[in-house]
Amino acid sequence: MQSKYLFVTGGVLSSLGKGISSSSIATLLKAAGFKVSILKIDPYINVDPGTMSPLEHGEVFVTADGAETDLDIGHYERFLDTSLEKSNNFTTGQVYLSVIENERQGKYLGKTIQVVPHIVDEIKYRIKEVAKGNDFLVVELGGTVGDIEGMPYLEAMRQMKHELGFKRVISIHVTLIPYIKAAGELKTKPTQHSVQELRRIGISPQIILARSEKPLSKDLKKKLALSCDVDDDSVIVAEDAKSIYQCPLNFLKEGVLNAIARHFGMENITPNMDDWDVLVKKIISPKNTISIGFVGKYLDLKESYKSLTEALVHAGANLDTRIDIKWIDSEKLSQENIAELSDVDGILIPGGFGSRGVEGKICAITYARENKIPFLGICLGMQLAILEFLRNVVQIKEADSIEFNPNTKEPAIYLIEDFIDQNGQAQIRTHKSPMGGTMRLGEYECILKKDSVIYQSYNKQEVIKERHRHRYEANPKYKPMLEKYGMFVSGESKNQLIEAVEIKDHPFFVAVQFHPEFTSRLKNPNLIILDFVRQSLKNKK
Ligand code: GLN
């Protein structure tokens, strides 16, 4: 079947959950047996979000092929249980960069370069490339209709509908139906205005996905359908859900697939969501509850730990367990108040950058090590687990990372100069490289040591693949000292970089250089995170 396109735009305001809505629709189509892919367009000018502050933008999600992408790509992977690529997310910066490079190479034969047609053509080209080989491509446009940056994309969508016809293109508009307490009423006016704005550009949506905190009456739905000129049953109400993973099930009940099938002239689309349904029930009313101490630094914006908190939800769903995260600000943690960790069942140290909060994290690691509390350290968490062990067990008091102390005499975490990336190319990493370009990014193989906990956690796979995002590495010079005192290297890359360490005399003390959270999906939870949660459940107080 020729690819069909579902364009998802947002109206009224941002943060309506367009990413979850797009993921939910794609999930249903996939569960009905179709080949589905999904694309996020970010209208901002940055070439990628790699250089954006996590406090401003939330998490940077890393794909297997090493792209730093928008956090919505993470939602897509978690819902669709599939690995996406660099091309599944692009920004205005990338579009202009390509067009300008083409212009510099003389590819436009002396023409004046304009938004229409050149920028719009580049956008259409990129969209069509991702659709290749798929029955459906869901395209989510970031931002809100009316934003200046979004204009060329809406024009591209309009043109694609003109070129391919309405049997291959559908427009889905996600809007808000606010509830005005004083009047006791749900209001449709903002949605009407937003649809008018879309029409001004030449796009008439076929489906309205109405986000609302309360159910919509039949009459209100009818009114919305009439004013937005869509079929009555093409107003899909997306009420606030208890879990984001409930959304595909809610959309299905609301009949979103009927509206899509009718528009495309297809027979009924019937997905099999049985497994999904079981997992969602376990998220909403689980048998067990545990508490995990999450010792991090970006606590003001929890979105920057999105993949990790979702990975905990996945592990919990698969173990019928709710995980209450106890957020602990590493900058405020010290020996004096370490008792804050006395009531948690497991301790987790996520990734991070810079020296702020490092000493607090080290205190938490000492506590987990000495009190034999299940511990998982991720990326910076592994680097700090090594420093803690060197300082407090091996007694190399000055052990440090050159990230925090560039002149340290004991650089246990250091920068390596030559690095062979996954394409076999030498990558030189120095402090002087421009920001964003010096990190080890994307998926790498890790060889696990038999007789280790991690090997058991990964179901005795000898080689696993996980994703990275960091500049520094553990210095192998310290490996003999660590091993002599009981911390051993349980995972290594092909070229002997240290990828995982554990402590022998401890029920579960595992720290990894990679980010396991990037490969966790609801139906396929990440195995080391799953085991960490399982061990924490065993340790339940
Ligand atoms: N700051 C550390 C590094 O760059 C760890 C990064 C991370 O945790 N993602 O190596």
Side-chain angles (χ1 to χ4, degrees):
M1 137 174 163
Q2 277 183 316
S3 315
K4 298 187 190 315
Y5 296 84
L6 299 97
F7 290 128
V8 181
T9 53
V12 182
L13 42 83
S14 59
S15 305
L16 285 181
K18 246 187 308 156
I20 302 296
S21 303
S22 305
S23 305
S24 298
I25 293 170
T27 300
L28 291 172
L29 292 168
K30 186 177 174 191
F34 292 104
K35 284 195 81 180
V36 185
S37 192
I38 184 158
L39 164 67
K40 169 81 191 283
I41 297 175
D42 283 307
Y44 51 70
I45 317 292
N46 303 58
V47 171
D48 62 48
T51 52
M52 287 160 106
S53 157
L55 291 176
E56 189 165 319
H57 190 72
E59 175 185 82
V60 173
F61 185 80
V62 180
T63 55
D65 62 353
E68 296 181 285
T69 63
D70 186 81
L71 62 79
D72 274 324
I73 303 299
H75 285 309
Y76 300 167
E77 290 204 357
R78 290 188 279 275
F79 273 70
L80 286 172
D81 189 13
T82 187
S83 288
L84 299 170
E85 291 169 4
K86 228 185 199 104
S87 52
N88 292 88
N89 178 210
F90 67 83
T91 69
T92 295
Q94 285 171 33
V95 170
Y96 272 77
L97 204 61
S98 304
V99 171
I100 291 169
E101 273 168 8
N102 286 340
E103 186 269 337
R104 290 291 85 187
Q105 288 165 15
K107 288 197 182 150
Y108 297 114
L109 306 172
K111 288 261 189 291
T112 306
I113 311 305
Q114 294 178 300
V115 173
V116 181
H118 301 98
I119 296 295
V120 171
D121 282 351
E122 174 68 24
I123 294 167
K124 288 193 291 183
Y125 168 76
R126 284 174 177 252
I127 295 174
K128 288 178 189 163
E129 279 297 299
V130 186
K132 277 189 182 156
N134 289 291
D135 300 321
F136 292 101
L137 176 70
V138 177
V139 182
E140 178 194 348
L141 177 61
T144 307
V145 168
D147 294 349
I148 292 180
E149 291 93 342
M151 291 299 176
Y153 299 99
L154 293 171
E155 173 62 10
M157 291 176 179
R158 188 195 66 75
Q159 289 189 12
M160 281 185 68
K161 145 97 193 307
H162 179 84
E163 288 165 16
L164 303 174
F166 69 92
K167 284 285 171 244
R168 288 187 57 198
V169 174
I170 190 168
S171 164
I172 301 173
H173 194 51
V174 183
T175 77
L176 178 71
I177 310 292
Y179 178 71
I180 306 298
K181 250 198 195 137
E185 269 183 62
L186 288 160
K187 293 292 185 190
T188 61
K189 188 74 78 186
T191 300
Q192 294 180 38
H193 282 169
S194 173
V195 170
Q196 273 165 21
E197 179 68 20
L198 259 184
R199 279 213 216 102
R200 207 175 54 79
I201 305 159
I203 296 177
S204 294
Q206 285 80 32
I207 294 179
I208 300 291
L209 239 163
R211 292 276 288 111
S212 167
E213 48 178 295
K214 294 201 183 288
L216 262 64
S217 67
K218 252 198 164 142
D219 284 350
L220 205 69
K221 266 177 133 178
K222 250 191 144 59
K223 179 177 165 193
L224 205 57
L226 182 68
S227 60
C228 298
D229 197 21
V230 302
D231 293 337
D232 286 0
D233 59 359
S234 295
V235 174
I236 307 297
V237 181
E239 252 186 90
D240 292 353
K242 287 204 180 99
S243 156
I244 53 172
Y245 299 102
Q246 215 180 8
C247 294
L249 303 170
N250 292 352
F251 287 13
L252 185 64
K253 267 192 223 132
E254 279 283 308
V256 74
L257 291 184
N258 302 340
I260 292 173
R262 193 178 52 241
H263 174 81
F264 286 137
M266 297 169 70
E267 286 176 13
N268 279 351
I269 304 176
T270 38
N272 179 352
M273 295 293 285
D274 296 350
D275 295 352
W276 190 280
D277 198 22
V278 170
L279 289 167
V280 170
K281 287 203 174 95
K282 288 185 182 167
I283 295 176
I284 292 172
S285 42
K287 258 196 214 136
N288 314 299
T289 304
I290 56 165
S291 162
I292 298 288
F294 192 116
V295 187
K297 159 170 93 160
Y298 309 112
L299 300 192
D300 289 338
L301 190 71
K302 311 238 166 51
E303 290 277 286
S304 58
Y305 297 118
K306 195 76 203 166
S307 293
L308 191 46
T309 52
E310 290 305 319
L312 290 172
V313 173
H314 305 160
N318 284 273
L319 296 168
D320 212 350
T321 300
R322 186 181 54 241
I323 295 165
D324 286 337
I325 296 179
K326 182 166 181 180
W327 297 97
I328 293 169
D329 185 343
S330 54
E331 285 187 81
K332 296 192 184 125
L333 193 66
S334 67
Q335 287 307 342
E336 269 90 79
N337 60 355
I338 198 72
E340 281 208 39
L341 286 170
S342 61
D343 57 352
V344 302
D345 305 310
I347 295 177
L348 179 60
I349 311 266
F353 291 84
S355 58
R356 267 197 311 118
V358 156
E359 294 309 320
K361 288 180 183 168
I362 289 187
C363 283
I365 295 169
T366 312
Y367 188 84
R369 180 173 58 75
E370 290 179 346
N371 295 288
K372 307 241 186 292
I373 299 168
F375 170 81
L376 180 63
I378 293 177
C379 206
L380 180 66
M382 180 192 93
Q383 298 174 356
L384 297 181
I386 290 176
L387 294 186
E388 193 278 334
F389 199 83
L390 285 172
R391 287 181 193 174
N392 299 334
V393 182
V394 187
Q395 296 295 323
I396 304 179
K397 292 286 175 201
E398 287 179 70
D400 219 328
S401 163
I402 63 168
E403 180 176 11
F404 323 133
N405 180 2
N407 304 317
T408 175
K409 285 200 207 85
E410 301 285 356
I413 309 299
Y414 73 152
L415 267 183
I416 53 173
E417 292 195 346
D418 292 305
F419 183 76
I420 308 296
D421 70 15
Q422 66 250 74
N423 303 318
Q425 281 182 344
Q427 182 193 345
I428 310 290
R429 305 203 283 185
T430 71
H431 267 309
K432 292 186 200 92
S433 303
M435 279 274 283
T438 58
M439 281 203 265
R440 181 173 165 209
L441 286 166
E443 182 181 275
Y444 287 88
E445 285 187 347
C446 169
I447 301 155
L448 299 182
K449 193 169 174 172
K450 291 183 184 170
D451 309 328
S452 63
V453 166
I454 193 169
Y455 178 68
Q456 296 297 332
S457 310
Y458 277 95
N459 294 334
K460 301 189 180 166
Q461 296 176 68
E462 278 164 39
V463 181
I464 56 164
K465 285 180 181 171
E466 292 286 6
R467 301 182 195 171
H468 292 250
R469 183 174 188 254
H470 54 98
R471 289 193 174 80
Y472 300 88
E473 303 286 347
N475 190 341
K477 189 180 115 184
Y478 292 84
K479 188 174 155 183
M481 290 166 243
L482 292 169
E483 301 207 319
K484 188 168 158 204
Y485 285 84
M487 174 178 266
F488 69 100
V489 173
S490 54
E492 270 179 334
S493 71
K494 271 194 213 147
N495 46 350
Q496 273 95 46
L497 293 173
I498 295 173
E499 308 285 45
V501 295
E502 15 190 291
I503 292 179
K504 270 198 187 116
D505 184 23
H506 192 290
F508 190 95
F509 187 105
V510 178
V512 293
Q513 183 62 79
F514 48 79
H515 286 273
E517 67 271 29
F518 288 143
T519 54
S520 185
R521 287 90 190 252
L522 178 62
K523 284 172 74 171
N524 220 338
N526 178 277
L527 293 174
I528 192 66
I529 296 173
L530 184 72
D531 209 15
F532 167 62
V533 171
R534 191 183 288 125
Q535 300 306 323
S536 304
L537 187 59
K538 270 193 199 158
N539 178 50
K540 189 174 156 60
K541 302 211 162 62

